[in-house]
Amino acid sequence: MTAPGGSATVVGRDGERAALSEFLAAPGGQALVLRGETGVGKSVLLDHAAALAAPGHEVIRAAGVEAESELPYAGLHQLLYPLLPHLSGLDEGHRAVFDVVFGLRAGTAPSVMSLGIAVLDLLTLAASQRPLLLVLDDGQWLDASSIEVCGFVGRRLAGSSVKLLAAVRSDVGSRFDTAALPELALAPLSDEDAGRLLDLRHPGLGRQARGAVLEHARGNPLALLELPPHVGSGEPLGFGAVPLSRRLQHVYGMRIEGLSGSVREELLRGALDGVGRPGSGTRYRMRDTGEAVAAGLLEADPATGDLVFRHPLIRSTVVQLATPNQRRAAHEDLARVHRDDVERHARHLAASRVDPDEQVAAALEAAAESATRRGGAVAAVAWLTRAAELSETPADRSRRLGDAAFIAGHAALLDQAQKLVRADPAPGRAESPATAIASAYVALYEDGDVRSAHRRVAAAIENLRDDDTETPTRLVDLLLATSLYAGDSASWQHTEQLMDSLRDRVHPLSAVYRHAWSDVVRHGAGVPEQVEQAFADVAALEPWDVSRLAVAAYHVDTLGRYRPSLQRAVDREVETGAVANGMTMLHLIMLDQLAAGEWDEAERTGQRALELNLAHGNALFAHHTRAYLGLLAALRGRLERARELQAVVDAWARPRGVGFLTQIADATGTAAALSEGDYEAAYLHAIGITRPGSFEPYAHQATRTLLDLVEAAVHTGRLDQARLHAQAALDAGLPGISPRLAVITYGAVTMTTADEKEAEEMYRRAEAEPDGGGFPFELARIRLAHGVRLRHTQGPKAARPLLARAAETFDRLGATGWAERAQTELRALGVATGVSPAHLTALTWQEHRIAELAASGLTNKEIGERMHLSPRTVSSHLYRVFPKLGITSRAALRDALGKLGR
């Protein structure tokens, strides 16, 4: 797209050039991605933009290299290489972040957010004297970790003096596809501009040849420039329907095949090691390649003098034309060059082998471990898979395939994990522990098959060798997860027996998970302290142990203390490969937001988690998230939405035996009924979770619905059952297990005791619980119930403050049904409220008829006989009618119905 002699005369692209000028002239920092097919002219437009910016900007250029696309942060190192002298101006924390990701010191891989913030600070410092333009070509070849950081940074450049301009191929997928950066799409040149370019560069082309080139190039500038010499020499084009990139590879291939053998070998080593742009570090440097330079295949980089390929297609063609033996020999040479780089050495060494080689397999295993520490989960899976192929024994092969599948599962690559499992049929012997872990992981999270997952893991534990010290903990932790989701006594009892049989062969943290996830009534004492002790050194924990400990904290209601750790880690986990772990963390953040009364935020977090679950085919997590979104909808009075989600979750979970989710579905039904004042329905839902006076073993919702069951029992006249259940909570020692259980236990006793002094004492304890303020919805319910009691026992003055606080909390949370109830009580005290009369008078036909009969003086039993309803159902309907009419007693029904009629 430039005139002969190298002058920057761009043909066509008026709209794109105007967009780039606007981009460069716009105030503040921003990012832009140029997207188009191979050879469409992205690089020329980058050159054009760099030339426009040069007078006023410092311009830094980099290019992605396909051979380095598996090496975490290789692309970021190249992009930042010219700016590294500015590191001395950063604080020690940010310098340490760069040292870790660039391999200069050992340490835990930073999150995308931590690294992105450090990069932003470095760019801001570098641009403090002069605006900075970062130009990135072939962005599709950047490693995934570097792209995530570029995306993070690109979305946060506003207010800085830094601009990022990147070019990516539209025919090659990359993480830039989901980076959410502004894009400028590059289409092929118009027929007119294509003809102009061709005539400018090849003015002597005959009419027939010119027509053939235009037909085959189809507006692609690179093809327009490269094809004419071959057409002019009389060589047939003969490409047929071959994709454009294949055509151009053919063009370059003819040049490459004309080179001497030694030059082609040198080009092959350079192509396989990713020869590219400045900051190339230890990449292979080609020498003695004058023939290739003369053929227009290589050019000298003006910054370093190193020889680089003129176009990525040349590099790809060099590799494609080499024989397998030639490629293996080149890789072996490169492995020797990079013997001090664990990842690069192992990668080249593995590519040089065909037959099993345990030494190479072990090197790949070490490289995978290094990549995992630095956030390269995808590369780790690939390297472990290759290590399995090179393993000399079936046991090592199975172990490495299992490790690859395990990491793939944590990266939410469930399809890949399943393929890895199928690649290890283990003929003639029992399933290996590693394969059992991977296959059970897929069965559990992709299909919700808790029975199969539990059976396979349990069998693997029973068949463990005595000398196997590595896999017991993995097996036990997965068995605990399957038992958690199964939610039944049989699964948990079998799990506990197996854990007891292993004694000290599993990690101490597994005992914490066991006690918290199984049954907090019987095993929860002391768990909060154990979780706190484990979190004291959070930096030393594996990411999955952070999320598992947070699950334990949720079960004992101390999750709020650790939410900052989850929020710091979640972006790193999602964006650097450990997606399943990130899903769990997002889910936990949602649960803590729900508990803390941050319901709008909880809904947004839940929706984000659900989208992530669906995108990665994780059906179990998707339904788990739907379950809590349904519960949240029920609490907010969005009953149609709540019952829709409840039905979806129940229909999926119940046939599969996923008791954990069916219990949440029952809790959603309970909450929805309470929200609309249908206490009879709420009671029936609640006793489906646990019977009054007991806490069903291993039923996690049994304690969480304590207040629901008690309140529903009180409002349906089942006072004996309500008192029995509240007393059972005290007898079980629930207040000593968690702050939330303390609040709702004291609240339940307050609602049920006939002793006024005890009611006051228990209410005082609920209010005084040190961490009780972290559960505003529960406290508001207790205040409402106690306020109603005070109105009857001590009068309006004593009741008003509690009712007002309850109403304010419900209103702030958006708990509409509860807010209406509290406001009705306040109106009974003569306090004006903002409830809409239209909403208050929205009676169904059945509610209206029951209200009329009650107003005429009939008892609930007599109304039930007339309408073929039970007395308790009649009572439940009247409890819904009272707040809608703004009254609190049957005596006021006649007047309220009269006003409604008028």
Side-chain angles (χ1 to χ4, degrees), residues 51 686 721:
Q721 289 94 326

Side-chain angles (χ1 to χ4, degrees), residues 563 589-607 628-629 631-638 671 675 774-778 780-781 809-819:
R563 195 205 299 182
I589 290 170
M590 174 201 178
L591 293 182
D592 191 57
Q593 289 167 333
L594 198 157
E598 301 164 13
W599 288 2
D600 289 338
E601 293 84 350
E603 190 159 1
R604 285 193 290 270
T605 303
Q607 286 298 334
Y628 278 110
L629 284 172
L631 181 59
L632 177 56
L635 296 176
R636 305 192 86 164
R638 300 170 183 172
S675 185
F775 308 95
F777 179 64
E778 287 80 356
R781 290 173 62 179
T809 300
F810 291 138
D811 187 60
R812 175 175 57 81
L813 294 174
T816 56
W818 293 92

Side-chain angles (χ1 to χ4, degrees), residues 607-630:
Q607 286 298 334
R608 179 189 172 193
L610 182 58
E611 291 167 7
L612 199 61
N613 302 154
L614 295 174
H616 288 85
N618 197 314
L620 181 66
F621 279 177
H623 284 88
H624 196 166
T625 305
R626 287 190 182 103
Y628 278 110
L629 284 172

Side-chain angles (χ1 to χ4, degrees), residues 546-561:
V546 172
S547 59
R548 288 167 182 159
L549 281 168
V551 173
Y554 163 72
H555 281 279
V556 292
D557 303 304
T558 59
L559 183 56
R561 303 176 192 175

